[in-house]
Amino acid sequence: MKTGIKIALSVAMLASISFAGEQFAMSDADRAMYAEMAENNPADIMVADGEELLGYMGRDAGLAKYLGVSEDDLPTYIAGFPRYIKKFDMVVGLDQVIQAMMADGGNKPLKLKSGNMFSLLAYVKSIANDEKINIDVNANPQMKEAYALGEKTFMTRRGGRGLSCNSCHSPDVVGRVLRTQPLPDLGVNGAKSAATWPAYRMTKSSLRTMQRRFQGCMKNALLKVIPIGSKQMVALEVYLTQKSKGAEIAIPGLKR
């Protein structure tokens, strides 16, 4: 069973921090803080809490049994989420699987936006650390539909400022600085963002998930916030996870 937690501050991120001189103003104290957290990610404790919580549901073996895979195959299987699960008849994220597992076990499910769920999700995804994302958006009609919806959600301009996700994360603006950080191109094949969420967000001093981060972006851009776990939000995760296909999973990540 994999239990190691890989700290995910990529070389690319370090480069963007250091190259910043003119474009990305950062104090020596801030650089030192990044370096310290790269070695001692505060989210490691939260991931450990998630492991303890999963213990009440049978640990890794219980999760593997619920998903209908062997414990040996569990890391590779996890690396393929979000995916279509026949017994749910829908495309789901790992957090929704955990929620359903709780309900089927006679327990009150955690809310998808709760801190404990974030910890649980981080631990479960960390089981796949060092595995490459292997999502298959052509596996079935449901995944194809989810990918198409995710792409539409990413590209559609809406809200008070007429912005889309693509407005801040396209090749046209990549590298520009917004709120002291270079904007990444999330929509290009080879992006690695999905491999490093859940992550510790330094500005929030807490563990956050990819979908929770989407919500923060939407709020800042004056867009109507899409609920975590909704069809549209899961589809957006499918779209961006496909763009990160082949990237090695490294949970917990570390983000500004």
Side-chain angles (χ1 to χ4, degrees):
M1 176 181 72
K2 282 189 180 179
T3 56
I5 306 298
K6 182 176 179 181
I7 303 300
L9 185 64
S10 67
V11 173
M13 183 175 178
L14 284 171
S16 70
I17 290 170
S18 354
F19 100 2
E22 301 177 357
Q23 202 178 22
F24 183 28
M26 177 180 273
S27 68
D28 290 341
D30 284 344
R31 286 194 181 90
M33 181 170 60
Y34 267 96
E36 169 62 23
M37 287 191 173
E39 294 296 326
N40 301 288
N41 192 323
D44 286 345
I45 297 173
M46 302 164 197
V47 175
D49 289 342
E51 182 177 16
E52 184 176 350
L53 288 168
L54 188 64
Y56 296 106
M57 297 184 284
R59 301 188 181 279
D60 296 26
L63 177 62
K65 183 178 180 180
Y66 186 76
L67 289 170
V69 300
S70 71
E71 192 171 351
D72 287 342
D73 291 337
L74 185 59
T76 301
Y77 191 75
I78 286 172
F81 274 88
R83 62 166 71 235
Y84 174 74
I85 302 291
K86 188 174 181 179
K87 66 180 172 181
F88 303 146
D89 193 26
M90 61 189 295
V91 176
V92 295
L94 279 166
D95 50 354
Q96 291 168 297
V97 170
I98 295 167
Q99 199 177 52
M101 187 177 172
M102 289 178 168
D104 289 346
N107 300 306
K108 183 179 179 179
L110 293 171
K111 293 182 178 179
L112 294 178
K113 63 181 180 180
S114 70
N116 280 340
M117 177 58 82
F118 290 176
S119 293
L120 255 171
L121 175 58
Y123 172 69
V124 168
K125 191 168 178 181
S126 79
I127 294 171
N129 273 352
D130 301 326
E131 293 282 339
K132 293 182 178 180
I133 289 178
N134 59 53
I135 188 172
D136 185 358
V137 297
N138 295 309
N140 45 61
Q142 293 86 354
M143 285 295 288
K144 289 180 179 179
E145 179 186 345
Y147 178 83
L149 177 60
E151 182 176 29
K152 179 180 179 181
T153 303
F154 188 84
M155 297 294 181
T156 299
R157 293 179 178 272
R158 58 193 182 91
R161 293 173 178 163
L163 298 174
S164 68
C165 301
N166 192 57
S167 297
C168 294
H169 298 290
S170 73
D172 295 335
V173 296
V174 67
R176 294 184 185 178
V177 175
L178 178 65
R179 304 175 98 178
T180 77
Q181 61 183 334
L183 293 169
D185 186 352
L186 299 181
V188 66
N189 290 329
K192 298 181 180 180
S193 181
T196 54
W197 288 97
Y200 185 80
R201 283 210 67 203
M202 297 172 65
T203 53
K204 301 296 183 181
S205 299
S206 63
L207 181 71
R208 297 297 175 102
T209 65
M210 193 174 195
Q211 290 190 26
R212 184 67 185 87
R213 183 67 188 102
F214 293 159
Q215 287 189 322
C217 285
M218 292 170 191
K219 183 177 179 180
N220 290 337
L222 299 184
L223 309 181
K224 183 178 180 180
V225 175
I226 302 171
I228 292 175
S230 65
K231 184 175 182 180
Q232 196 172 2
M233 187 66 93
V234 174
L236 187 56
E237 185 172 352
V238 167
Y239 176 71
L240 291 180
T241 301
Q242 169 64 21
K243 298 301 180 181
S244 297
K245 188 170 183 175
E248 287 189 0
I249 294 172
I251 306 299
L254 180 63
K255 312 285 184 179
R256 177 187 174 276

